Amino acid sequence: MSGQVLVLGGTGEARRLAAALVAGGVDVLSSLAGRVADPVLPEGDVRVGGFGGADGLAEWLATHRPRAVVDATHPFAARITASAAAAAARSGTPLLRLQRPGWTPGPGDRWTYVDSLADAAAAVSGAGTVFLTTGRQGVGAFAVLPGRVLVRAVDPPDEPLPAGAVLLLARGPFTEDEETALMREHGVDVVVTKDSGGSMTEAKLAAARRLGLPVVLVRRPPLPRGVAVVTTVEEAVGWVNALRPVGAGTQDGPSWNR
């Protein structure tokens, strides 16, 4: 078994984790899904592209036998998270889920939580101008909206856009002042986003609060049962460091345990 740690995800947490582990002398392989045309690459070795679902990842884990897997993908990457849980259980590989906390509404916030993008589209069907910040995937759920929709994404969506869509290609982070100016410029009446959490994209919520605008947030999908979860990079580093060799192991190398 190798001492390498497989980190799944192109999130900010994944990059910070990779940097911290590399700085501590840990061999890290970061795996990116490849859905962003020009991703920000983490430190250490990087692979781009999926494994082929749970079966493909289980085969990869059985072949490469990494020390552990840390799933630091986006809170809404439910399919990857489910595949990681199934593959790790099948191969006996230690697995940790690193997931930042969701956002918490404050005084004056006008937030409505829904369970899906389709529910979010239904919730804003009568609004004037909708600011859609849910990413490029799932935009098709809003194609039926009759009004004006400002769609912001890093790359152009593959799915149909609403008839009254204005596509804004931009990569954050954005400041509260920038978000406020954008919402004023386009006459935004309601903001739609996912409960991604974190500070990187939180400015739009502060801007909506400043302008008194309602926000529709899509709830996170549930995590697989039995998977250890931490919310900070520091906790993840500590978990990895606690995986230490417990014996000489086989001729393939040392065995690792928590």
Side-chain angles (χ1 to χ4, degrees), residues 4 10 36 83 92 107 119 124 181 217 224 236 241 258:
Q4 187 175 67
V36 177
S83 293
D119 290 343
V124 299
L217 293 100
N241 288 336
R258 291 192 66 179

PDB file of all heavy atoms in Angstrom, residues 4 10 36 83 92 107 119 124 181 217 224 236 241 258:
ATOM      1  N   GLN A   4       0.341   7.480  -0.579  1.00  0.00           N
ATOM      2  CA  GLN A   4      -0.316   8.570  -1.293  1.00  0.00           C
ATOM      3  C   GLN A   4      -1.742   8.783  -0.785  1.00  0.00           C
ATOM      4  O   GLN A   4      -2.456   7.843  -0.442  1.00  0.00           O
ATOM      5  CB  GLN A   4      -0.342   8.269  -2.792  1.00  0.00           C
ATOM      6  CG  GLN A   4      -0.849   9.418  -3.642  1.00  0.00           C
ATOM      7  CD  GLN A   4      -0.748   9.113  -5.125  1.00  0.00           C
ATOM      8  OE1 GLN A   4      -1.445   8.243  -5.628  1.00  0.00           O
ATOM      9  NE2 GLN A   4       0.144   9.813  -5.814  1.00  0.00           N
ATOM     10  N   GLY A  10     -12.134  19.976  -6.940  1.00  0.00           N
ATOM     11  CA  GLY A  10     -11.443  21.189  -7.349  1.00  0.00           C
ATOM     12  C   GLY A  10     -11.885  22.395  -6.541  1.00  0.00           C
ATOM     13  O   GLY A  10     -11.742  23.539  -6.991  1.00  0.00           O
ATOM     14  N   VAL A  36     -14.623  22.096 -15.635  1.00  0.00           N
ATOM     15  CA  VAL A  36     -14.275  23.500 -15.844  1.00  0.00           C
ATOM     16  C   VAL A  36     -13.142  23.562 -16.860  1.00  0.00           C
ATOM     17  O   VAL A  36     -12.168  22.804 -16.772  1.00  0.00           O
ATOM     18  CB  VAL A  36     -13.846  24.160 -14.519  1.00  0.00           C
ATOM     19  CG1 VAL A  36     -13.419  25.601 -14.744  1.00  0.00           C
ATOM     20  CG2 VAL A  36     -14.990  24.106 -13.510  1.00  0.00           C
ATOM     21  N   SER A  83     -20.255   7.745  -5.043  1.00  0.00           N
ATOM     22  CA  SER A  83     -19.307   6.804  -5.652  1.00  0.00           C
ATOM     23  C   SER A  83     -18.091   6.603  -4.753  1.00  0.00           C
ATOM     24  O   SER A  83     -17.588   5.484  -4.599  1.00  0.00           O
ATOM     25  CB  SER A  83     -18.866   7.312  -7.026  1.00  0.00           C
ATOM     26  OG  SER A  83     -19.937   7.307  -7.948  1.00  0.00           O
ATOM     27  N   GLY A  92     -11.914  -1.145   1.128  1.00  0.00           N
ATOM     28  CA  GLY A  92     -11.350  -1.033   2.463  1.00  0.00           C
ATOM     29  C   GLY A  92     -10.422   0.145   2.643  1.00  0.00           C
ATOM     30  O   GLY A  92      -9.548   0.132   3.508  1.00  0.00           O
ATOM     31  N   PRO A 107     -30.205  38.460  10.637  1.00  0.00           N
ATOM     32  CA  PRO A 107     -31.340  39.383  10.775  1.00  0.00           C
ATOM     33  C   PRO A 107     -31.616  40.129   9.472  1.00  0.00           C
ATOM     34  O   PRO A 107     -30.697  40.642   8.837  1.00  0.00           O
ATOM     35  CB  PRO A 107     -30.880  40.343  11.879  1.00  0.00           C
ATOM     36  CG  PRO A 107     -29.836  39.587  12.639  1.00  0.00           C
ATOM     37  CD  PRO A 107     -29.147  38.729  11.629  1.00  0.00           C
ATOM     38  N   ASP A 119     -37.801  22.917  -7.908  1.00  0.00           N
ATOM     39  CA  ASP A 119     -38.571  23.647  -6.900  1.00  0.00           C
ATOM     40  C   ASP A 119     -38.167  25.120  -6.871  1.00  0.00           C
ATOM     41  O   ASP A 119     -39.010  26.000  -6.661  1.00  0.00           O
ATOM     42  CB  ASP A 119     -38.357  23.028  -5.521  1.00  0.00           C
ATOM     43  CG  ASP A 119     -39.002  21.662  -5.375  1.00  0.00           C
ATOM     44  OD1 ASP A 119     -39.875  21.321  -6.207  1.00  0.00           O
ATOM     45  OD2 ASP A 119     -38.621  20.922  -4.445  1.00  0.00           O
ATOM     46  N   VAL A 124     -39.738  30.956  -8.212  1.00  0.00           N
ATOM     47  CA  VAL A 124     -39.485  32.285  -8.792  1.00  0.00           C
ATOM     48  C   VAL A 124     -40.201  32.475 -10.128  1.00  0.00           C
ATOM     49  O   VAL A 124     -39.881  33.407 -10.875  1.00  0.00           O
ATOM     50  CB  VAL A 124     -37.969  32.517  -8.973  1.00  0.00           C
ATOM     51  CG1 VAL A 124     -37.258  32.455  -7.634  1.00  0.00           C
ATOM     52  CG2 VAL A 124     -37.360  31.496  -9.937  1.00  0.00           C
ATOM     53  N   ALA A 181     -23.643  46.260  -7.135  1.00  0.00           N
ATOM     54  CA  ALA A 181     -23.699  47.036  -8.375  1.00  0.00           C
ATOM     55  C   ALA A 181     -24.295  46.211  -9.509  1.00  0.00           C
ATOM     56  O   ALA A 181     -25.088  46.724 -10.323  1.00  0.00           O
ATOM     57  CB  ALA A 181     -22.298  47.518  -8.740  1.00  0.00           C
ATOM     58  N   LEU A 217     -32.720  29.385  -1.822  1.00  0.00           N
ATOM     59  CA  LEU A 217     -31.558  28.508  -1.687  1.00  0.00           C
ATOM     60  C   LEU A 217     -31.987  27.048  -1.821  1.00  0.00           C
ATOM     61  O   LEU A 217     -32.951  26.611  -1.192  1.00  0.00           O
ATOM     62  CB  LEU A 217     -30.873  28.693  -0.332  1.00  0.00           C
ATOM     63  CG  LEU A 217     -30.193  30.025  -0.072  1.00  0.00           C
ATOM     64  CD1 LEU A 217     -31.087  30.911   0.782  1.00  0.00           C
ATOM     65  CD2 LEU A 217     -28.864  29.816   0.630  1.00  0.00           C
ATOM     66  N   PRO A 224     -23.816  10.218   2.322  1.00  0.00           N
ATOM     67  CA  PRO A 224     -23.939   8.772   2.560  1.00  0.00           C
ATOM     68  C   PRO A 224     -23.748   8.450   4.036  1.00  0.00           C
ATOM     69  O   PRO A 224     -22.976   9.113   4.739  1.00  0.00           O
ATOM     70  CB  PRO A 224     -22.811   8.177   1.706  1.00  0.00           C
ATOM     71  CG  PRO A 224     -22.494   9.214   0.687  1.00  0.00           C
ATOM     72  CD  PRO A 224     -22.749  10.529   1.356  1.00  0.00           C
ATOM     73  N   ALA A 236      -9.040  17.931   8.539  1.00  0.00           N
ATOM     74  CA  ALA A 236      -8.703  16.923   7.533  1.00  0.00           C
ATOM     75  C   ALA A 236      -7.221  16.569   7.586  1.00  0.00           C
ATOM     76  O   ALA A 236      -6.847  15.398   7.469  1.00  0.00           O
ATOM     77  CB  ALA A 236      -9.080  17.425   6.141  1.00  0.00           C
ATOM     78  N   ASN A 241      -2.930  12.728   9.098  1.00  0.00           N
ATOM     79  CA  ASN A 241      -1.717  12.476   9.875  1.00  0.00           C
ATOM     80  C   ASN A 241      -1.908  11.352  10.890  1.00  0.00           C
ATOM     81  O   ASN A 241      -0.936  10.720  11.321  1.00  0.00           O
ATOM     82  CB  ASN A 241      -1.275  13.758  10.588  1.00  0.00           C
ATOM     83  CG  ASN A 241      -0.705  14.784   9.622  1.00  0.00           C
ATOM     84  OD1 ASN A 241      -0.234  14.437   8.541  1.00  0.00           O
ATOM     85  ND2 ASN A 241      -0.755  16.049  10.007  1.00  0.00           N
ATOM     86  N   ARG A 258      -5.969   3.738  11.089  1.00  0.00           N
ATOM     87  CA  ARG A 258      -6.220   4.975  11.811  1.00  0.00           C
ATOM     88  C   ARG A 258      -5.643   4.888  13.213  1.00  0.00           C
ATOM     89  O   ARG A 258      -5.566   3.821  13.788  1.00  0.00           O
ATOM     90  CB  ARG A 258      -7.726   5.247  11.887  1.00  0.00           C
ATOM     91  CG  ARG A 258      -8.319   5.610  10.526  1.00  0.00           C
ATOM     92  CD  ARG A 258      -9.717   6.151  10.689  1.00  0.00           C
ATOM     93  NE  ARG A 258      -9.684   7.428  11.413  1.00  0.00           N
ATOM     94  CZ  ARG A 258     -10.772   8.149  11.680  1.00  0.00           C
ATOM     95  NH1 ARG A 258     -11.949   7.728  11.320  1.00  0.00           N
ATOM     96  NH2 ARG A 258     -10.666   9.281  12.319  1.00  0.00           N
TER      97      ARG A 258
END
